[in-house]
Amino acid sequence: MFYRLLKYVLLGPLLRVMFRPRIEGLEHIPDEGAAIVAGNHLSFSDHFLMPAILKRRITFLAKAEYFTGPGLKGRLTAAFFRSAGQIPVDRSGREAGQAAIREGLGVLGRGELLGIYPEGTRSHDGRLYKGKVGVAAMALGAGVPVIPCAMIGTFEAQPPGQKIPSMRRITIRFGRPLDFSRYAGMESEKAILRAVTDEIMYAILELSGQEYVDTYAAVAKAEAEEAAKARKFPRMPLS
């Protein structure tokens, strides 16, 4: 009930006014049945823009930190994300990755739409980074198509560190569904998972036109933070 209120009365109309989204390829989203929508991740606003423009409900895997904040603010934030169709996922460690896959397969097993950002975290510089293979494991495990999606303009509207997004027109572009049925039963083979993930990322790249970096986003972000820290606090030469 609150999901519909949020989408059609509260958040949805506000997002449409702020971003005036241009939607392309919406016909590629199936009217029923399970499917994965895999997109790039440029902004905090991405979590809410796609649910606002899709006719069907879509469930996203979201980082657990959104659900574990302290105090009243933390509880309200957690309630908001759950109401918006987000599932908390602990992103630390191998077991956490398996838990995320189980959660995603549960959504797909109910015949629903699952939204996922294969990069695993937001891009810190607007480029597209290497995808994690969880998306492939879920696609092959559930035997469902993957619809690539590109968010265009959301990085400029709300770059990292900017709490309130700027009013700016954005584009949400969906590509043709990717069929991986030829790999049925091969979801435990690492080379297959990597190949499927790379195919998904290439489809997103074609839609978004971003520069691609063959490194995981979290690694690149950590390196950028270390470089920034080194510039701010340079080491003094030894005498």
Side-chain angles (χ1 to χ4, degrees):
M1 177 64 182
F2 187 73
Y3 181 90
R4 295 179 64 85
L5 180 66
L6 195 67
K7 177 173 180 175
Y8 295 110
V9 179
L10 301 176
L11 190 59
L14 175 62
L15 292 174
R16 288 181 179 273
V17 169
M18 287 188 66
F19 297 113
R20 296 174 292 124
R22 180 187 295 107
I23 315 302
E24 300 176 7
L26 195 58
E27 68 275 10
H28 297 311
I29 303 294
D31 293 330
E32 58 183 19
I36 296 173
V37 180
N40 57 344
H41 194 15
L42 297 169
S43 166
F44 182 76
S45 301
D46 295 341
H47 286 291
F48 310 108
L49 275 164
M50 197 188 300
I53 61 95
L54 289 180
K55 295 179 181 179
R56 291 182 62 185
R57 177 168 181 153
I58 184 169
T59 299
F60 275 88
L61 302 180
K63 64 180 182 179
E65 290 89 331
Y66 290 146
F67 300 81
T68 57
L72 177 60
K73 180 181 178 181
R75 291 195 295 272
L76 289 174
T77 300
F80 177 80
F81 270 88
R82 289 193 179 93
S83 299
Q86 314 282 323
I87 295 177
V89 172
D90 183 350
R91 302 181 299 174
S92 58
R94 179 179 175 80
E95 287 303 315
Q98 294 303 313
I101 291 172
R102 288 194 296 270
E103 290 283 0
L105 290 174
V107 173
L108 296 168
R110 296 192 294 271
E112 300 174 7
L113 284 180
L114 174 70
I116 186 169
Y117 302 115
E119 292 168 276
T121 188
R122 277 176 282 170
S123 171
H124 68 286
D125 58 6
R127 297 187 293 177
L128 183 69
Y129 286 87
K130 186 176 181 178
K132 296 189 174 183
V133 299
V135 62
M138 285 182 263
L140 300 187
V144 300
V146 177
I147 298 123
C149 173
M151 311 294 288
I152 301 169
T154 56
F155 183 83
E156 291 77 13
Q158 191 179 18
Q162 181 174 317
K163 293 185 177 181
I164 306 298
S166 306
M167 294 186 68
R168 175 190 178 94
R169 188 163 198 184
I170 60 96
T171 297
I172 304 176
R173 184 176 293 150
F174 299 98
R176 295 179 181 277
L178 303 174
D179 177 14
F180 298 108
S181 58
R182 63 191 184 277
Y183 298 123
M186 303 172 73
E187 59 268 23
S188 61
E189 298 189 23
K190 293 182 179 180
I192 296 297
L193 294 179
R194 184 74 262 161
V196 169
T197 303
D198 288 346
E199 186 173 335
I200 293 168
M201 299 310 295
Y202 182 74
I204 295 172
L205 178 66
E206 284 194 312
L207 293 171
S208 70
Q210 293 169 267
E211 178 184 346
Y212 180 75
V213 183
D214 192 26
T215 303
Y216 290 116
V219 173
K221 187 182 295 186
E223 291 176 349
E225 290 173 353
E226 283 298 318
K229 188 184 298 184
R231 289 193 297 271
K232 188 174 182 180
F233 303 105
R235 291 184 179 182
M236 299 298 293
L238 296 176
S239 56

